[in-house]
Amino acid sequence: MSDSSPEPRTPSEEIAGLVERVTFFNEESGFAVLRVKVRGHRELVTVLGSLPAVSAGEWLTAKGWWVRDKEHGLQFKATALKATPPTTSEGVERYLAGGFVKGVGPVLAKKLVGHFGAEVLGVISDNPADLESVDGIGPKRRERIATAWQEGMQIREIMLFLHSHGVSTGRAVRIFKTYGNLAIQTVQENPYTLAKEIHGIGFATADQIAQSVGIPKDSQNRARAGIDHVLLGATSEGHCALPLEKLKAAAVKLLEVPVETIEQALSHMLTGGFLLLEEIDGEPLVFLPHLRKAEDGIATKIRRLVSAGVTYPKIDFVKAVTWVEKQTDKTLAPSQREALKAVLTSRVSIITGGPGVGKTTLVNSILLILRAKKVKCLLCAPTGRAAKRLTETTGLEAKTIHRLLEVDPATGRFQRNEDKPLECDLLIVDETSMVDVLLMYALLRALPKTSALIMVGDVDQLPSVGAGNALRDLIDSGVVPVVRLTEVFRQAASSNIITSAHLIRQGKMPELRTAEADSDFHFVERETPEEIAATLVRLVEDRIPKGHHLDPIRDIQVLCPMNRGSIGVRELNSVLQGALNPVRQGEPTVERFGWRFQVRDKVIQTENDYKKEVFNGDIGTIEKIDPVEQELFIRFDDRLVVYDYGELDEVSLAYAVTIHKAQGSEFPAVVIPVAMQHYMLLQRNLIYTGITRAKRLLVVVGQKKALGLAIRNDQSRKRYSGLLSSLKETSR
């Protein structure tokens, strides 16, 4: 297959025919490889070109020239392609069977064409009630077919509109679902809304449409949209704000307009309250207002908690410790006793420390003592996996923060707040390093006025994916009582994973064992990215499953420092999918948004979907693909969740995921590639977070030099924020 060839030596010509098969179609670029039954040709003709959408059965007209590809033979390279609905019975049947109308497969397509002939498309469009004259179609099915036809036609219209403005059509379904009949009107009037409201469409795409529909390059609407884009991009890197000069420079570079245009737009946004300008530690920072409000809100709520007295019933500490040790059959170390006392005498506290230092034992002791005193406790964590692990370690129900706060599927807002607080005397939040400022503020708003709060987390891990560095700022402020657990207990000290993690946390190189059978941590040295990738696949596919009786898809997780590169997430997912879950003949597959999805594939949710109650970072397995209904079924733990094909930009393959995405999760076995091609992201907290995801086995594959660089590099990227300043202000 080839989408490029030399300039033609023969004049352009035109061919036309029925699309028999869509061999390949890239929804992002529109590039297609089609097999077409062309008049005057006995064999099917291969046609290459770009168009917004195409289905088998459509009538195709193509302008271009003939080329002879070395591998694929004679092909027609099209400079212009146009596909129109079919008019023959043969074409209509193929068209309907090809999935254009959701809910109509090959069997029903044959039945419909047999009943109505080539006129069936007109019947579906104009007289859908007549469909009920076909055996097996009742009112409900008729309505579904008619609705799917109308939606399909509207999505095609959006595709044509986008394509005419030089934009890929892969997100047309999502645009239609967001704006409905007003989609094209909305995009024409303000294309920049796409960048803010449609997942997967960036500023560059929206700007391309804007330029095409005639919005001037120096317009204030464009400048304001550009500033918004820069600030939103900064939040995805963890910032709550940007320095004023840095923001202006980034906007000028993005928009290629004079700085005066940016300053005028900024002035309008600041005076209108769309942005906030505040001096933090002598530096003027520009905030998105909701983020600054969250930071100030956190500081205010924490101050009130710290200044309020403990509301627990009176506890005889010595008796309580003796009792809890008897209940658990565990003797608390002096450091754990001190920590327990500090927590029980504080209204708000933080418990932090690495693996194996007894955080779980401490939390369980707190819960035993307080529940014996009839204190009502609620437990939560940022992700489903972290909540499940908290349930397993405490024996009490733990919820995700979103479920605890009762997120409204329609709006994404939390129903628990000051007006409808949680019903508890104590709230325990685990994996707090993952909690960004917006989620932290939402939790504090929902905390009852008389309740206590305990935040548990490893501050040396990566900070939250979302904006801010809440746990670190709370600790650094000195406002909140902090319990630091550092003593690694005997049982944990026998694990090379845990001892290596603590060495790395201290900036020291762990002992790199390569062949000790009884070790749970192995380093496999490989120098080139190609060698690293090949070794990694062999380990996951064969050596680890056989040596440790683990399922290669379910139990082994590859964690990468970054997405791009030959040993990044994207490339390794393709290779691992081919090795662990090759295509099986007769099984349906779906190709969308750069991925091929198959039954048994491990996938990860990449954004919060409140309606489905599936959240960023949740990992599941594809159980079923229905090509007729154009639906894919993914199991997340005990829930089966349905996705339309057009919603598959919310998920990606998860044989390999970034270390960031794995926060809050643990896996039986973890494999991490490390190489100098990851140079920009090689940091101590990244490697530390990655290796602490492994429960039973950890294998690092790659270059010692790269691992050493990561361990030495303790310079985490600065996050622009006002939380620490606000916390210090409130403590004065």
Side-chain angles (χ1 to χ4, degrees):
M1 182 190 310
S2 172
D3 63 347
S4 62
S5 53
E7 287 299 310
R9 295 179 182 175
T10 55
S12 176
E13 62 179 284
E14 186 171 325
I15 62 170
L18 186 74
V19 178
E20 283 281 328
R21 188 168 70 249
V22 180
T23 304
F24 176 80
F25 181 68
N26 185 319
E27 291 203 349
E28 296 302 305
S29 65
F31 175 71
V33 179
L34 310 171
R35 296 286 282 163
V36 183
K37 188 187 286 185
V38 176
R39 283 178 295 198
H41 290 260
R42 290 176 61 189
E43 303 289 328
L44 292 179
V45 170
T46 299
V47 178
L48 292 79
S50 292
L51 72 175
V54 64
S55 296
E58 289 188 303
W59 186 257
L60 188 82
T61 55
K63 288 182 181 178
W65 56 85
W66 295 96
V67 295
R68 188 168 292 281
D69 184 88
K70 287 180 183 177
E71 188 177 345
H72 300 284
L74 194 65
Q75 300 175 331
F76 191 81
K77 171 102 178 198
T79 54
L81 282 178
K82 185 180 180 183
T84 54
T87 54
T88 66
S89 295
E90 178 193 5
V92 169
E93 184 178 330
R94 193 173 292 277
Y95 186 58
L96 288 173
F100 179 75
V101 182
K102 186 178 173 182
V104 178
V107 174
L108 186 54
K110 193 173 193 67
K111 198 182 282 188
L112 285 167
V113 172
H115 191 88
F116 295 107
E119 305 304 314
V120 66
L121 299 184
V123 173
I124 296 172
S125 176
D126 304 325
N127 302 297
D130 292 353
L131 294 175
E132 290 184 43
S133 62
V134 177
D135 185 41
I137 298 181
K140 281 188 178 176
R141 197 168 194 188
R142 178 257 300 164
E143 191 175 330
R144 283 176 60 212
I145 292 170
T147 301
W149 171 265
Q150 293 301 329
E151 285 187 2
M153 295 307 289
Q154 286 173 307
I155 290 164
R156 279 291 175 105
E157 193 180 346
I158 297 166
M159 286 178 167
L160 286 166
F161 172 80
L162 293 174
H163 200 69
S164 69
H165 292 290
V167 176
S168 86
T169 61
R171 297 296 189 297
V173 173
R174 194 167 284 279
I175 293 171
F176 169 73
K177 289 202 167 189
T178 305
Y179 303 119
N181 296 335
L182 298 174
I184 291 176
Q185 181 186 330
T186 304
V187 176
Q188 283 176 322
E189 289 175 357
N190 187 3
Y192 296 109
T193 57
L194 290 177
K196 291 180 79 171
E197 296 176 3
I198 304 294
H199 171 69
I201 293 185
F203 178 82
T205 300
D207 200 38
Q208 187 178 337
I209 298 170
Q211 303 298 299
S212 185
V213 298
I215 294 176
K217 200 171 182 181
D218 62 351
S219 80
Q220 282 296 293
N221 267 350
R222 180 172 184 263
R224 290 194 286 269
I227 291 166
D228 259 340
H229 173 71
V230 171
L231 280 172
L232 285 168
T235 65
S236 69
E237 294 177 6
H239 302 296
C240 293
L242 278 180
L244 177 60
E245 293 305 317
K246 195 168 186 174
L247 172 61
K248 288 197 289 188
V252 166
K253 184 179 179 182
L254 173 74
L255 300 172
E256 297 177 332
V257 295
V259 70
E260 291 78 17
T261 304
I262 300 301
E263 287 173 341
Q264 188 181 344
L266 258 174
S267 175
H268 174 273
M269 296 173 86
L270 289 166
T271 55
F274 302 105
L275 299 176
L276 290 176
L277 178 62
E278 194 172 328
E279 192 168 293
I280 306 287
D281 297 328
E283 186 172 33
L285 296 182
V286 179
F287 289 84
L288 291 166
H290 69 290
L291 289 172
R292 189 65 186 122
K293 180 185 176 184
E295 291 182 330
D296 275 337
I298 291 168
T300 302
K301 299 278 185 188
I302 289 292
R303 176 179 59 195
R304 287 177 186 161
L305 281 169
V306 170
S307 61
V310 173
T311 55
Y312 301 136
K314 193 173 180 182
I315 296 170
D316 183 321
F317 185 70
V318 175
K319 281 186 178 177
V321 169
T322 304
W323 177 80
V324 86
E325 287 180 335
K326 191 176 179 182
Q327 293 291 313
T328 60
D329 200 27
K330 287 182 181 178
T331 302
L332 295 177
S335 60
Q336 288 176 310
R337 287 182 176 224
E338 286 175 29
L340 183 59
K341 191 169 190 177
V343 170
L344 291 176
T345 54
S346 304
R347 183 70 174 276
V348 57
S349 56
I350 293 171
I351 300 170
T352 189
V357 296
K359 292 196 298 292
T360 299
T361 299
L362 179 57
V363 169
N364 281 334
S365 299
I366 293 164
L367 287 168
L368 275 169
I369 292 168
L370 292 179
R371 291 183 75 230
K373 292 286 186 179
K374 307 300 182 191
V375 172
K376 185 171 183 183
C377 306
L378 287 179
L379 284 68
C380 66
T383 67
R385 282 179 173 245
K388 189 178 180 184
R389 200 168 72 247
L390 186 57
T391 297
E392 289 166 355
T393 56
T394 63
L396 301 175
E397 182 190 18
K399 294 181 179 179
T400 63
I401 296 173
H402 284 84
R403 287 204 176 97
L404 183 78
L405 298 181
E406 296 174 15
V407 66
D408 182 345
T411 63
R413 295 194 180 115
F414 296 117
Q415 297 177 69
R416 292 284 184 175
N417 50 38
E418 296 96 339
D419 299 325
K420 189 186 174 185
L422 297 166
E423 295 167 12
C424 64
D425 304 310
L426 167 66
L427 177 64
I428 296 180
V429 187
D430 199 14
E431 295 286 358
T432 313
S433 62
M434 295 178 65
V435 180
D436 61 32
V437 294
L438 291 175
L439 205 50
M440 181 66 76
Y441 181 45
L443 266 174
L444 291 170
R445 286 182 65 198
L447 195 70
K449 289 180 180 178
T450 55
S451 179
L453 174 67
I454 299 173
M455 292 172 277
V456 186
D458 186 346
V459 75
D460 293 312
Q461 286 185 23
L462 288 166
S464 58
V465 174
N469 200 348
L471 183 64
R472 169 69 69 185
D473 288 345
L474 285 166
I475 292 173
D476 289 351
S477 72
V479 174
V480 181
V482 178
V483 168
R484 290 179 184 270
L485 299 175
T486 56
E487 181 183 350
V488 180
F489 292 98
R490 192 185 311 158
Q491 188 177 351
S494 65
S495 163
N496 291 320
I497 295 172
I498 289 175
T499 55
S500 298
H502 283 278
L503 286 169
I504 288 170
R505 187 177 60 80
Q506 297 160 25
K508 298 173 184 175
M509 192 78 158
E511 187 180 341
L512 300 180
R513 299 166 173 82
T514 55
E516 289 186 30
D518 60 344
S519 175
D520 58 3
F521 173 27
H522 302 269
F523 179 78
V524 181
E525 188 167 11
R526 295 290 185 270
E527 279 306 315
T528 68
E530 293 75 20
E531 290 172 335
I532 294 169
T535 301
L536 182 147
V537 173
R538 282 199 300 274
L539 283 165
V540 175
E541 185 182 14
D542 184 57
R543 289 176 60 186
I544 294 175
K546 284 182 179 175
H548 297 269
H549 308 292
L550 295 172
D551 182 283
I553 295 178
R554 186 186 64 242
D555 298 328
I556 305 172
Q557 186 60 58
V558 175
L559 300 180
C560 302
M562 63 195 295
N563 276 302
R564 295 185 301 276
S566 57
I567 46 175
V569 165
R570 192 158 264 286
E571 192 65 34
L572 286 177
N573 264 315
S574 296
V575 176
L576 287 165
Q577 183 189 42
L580 303 178
N581 190 24
V583 176
R584 299 188 186 183
Q585 194 170 359
E587 279 193 352
T589 64
V590 187
E591 295 204 20
R592 286 292 189 281
F593 309 107
W595 298 108
R596 184 182 74 245
F597 297 104
Q598 301 158 197
V599 175
R600 293 172 302 282
D601 274 338
K602 180 160 66 172
V603 293
I604 185 168
Q605 181 78 12
T606 56
E607 63 167 308
N608 291 338
D609 189 321
Y610 301 112
K611 289 180 181 175
K612 289 182 171 59
E613 289 192 27
V614 186
F615 301 100
N616 191 352
D618 286 354
I619 292 177
T621 306
I622 298 175
E623 283 201 358
K624 179 184 172 186
I625 296 172
D626 186 337
V628 174
E629 295 295 338
Q630 297 178 28
E631 291 175 339
L632 184 144
F633 296 75
I634 302 175
R635 182 165 295 283
F636 294 97
D637 293 325
D638 57 346
R639 295 176 61 238
L640 197 61
V641 182
V642 184
Y643 290 76
D644 284 329
Y645 284 4
E647 296 174 321
L648 292 178
D649 55 348
E650 289 184 13
V651 295
S652 59
L653 293 180
Y655 298 99
V657 300
T658 61
I659 293 171
H660 281 86
K661 287 284 187 190
Q663 276 181 274
S665 297
E666 282 186 346
F667 309 94
V670 166
V671 183
I672 303 175
V674 181
M676 292 304 292
Q677 72 168 227
H678 301 141
Y679 182 84
M680 291 296 292
L681 288 174
L682 290 178
Q683 294 171 344
R684 186 184 302 170
N685 60 359
L686 183 91
I687 294 299
Y688 174 76
T689 301
I691 69 172
T692 53
R693 301 307 91 207
K695 285 199 288 189
R696 288 165 49 189
L697 178 68
L698 169 71
V699 184
V700 177
V701 186
Q703 303 161 351
K704 280 185 184 176
K705 179 182 178 182
L707 183 60
L709 174 73
I711 292 168
R712 290 191 301 274
N713 181 13
D714 195 28
Q715 300 303 307
S716 299
R717 292 180 180 178
K718 178 180 178 179
R719 292 191 166 194
Y720 294 105
S721 161
L723 177 57
L724 184 58
S725 174
S726 293
L727 286 163
K728 287 180 175 177
E729 283 287 324
T730 60
S731 65
R732 286 174 191 158

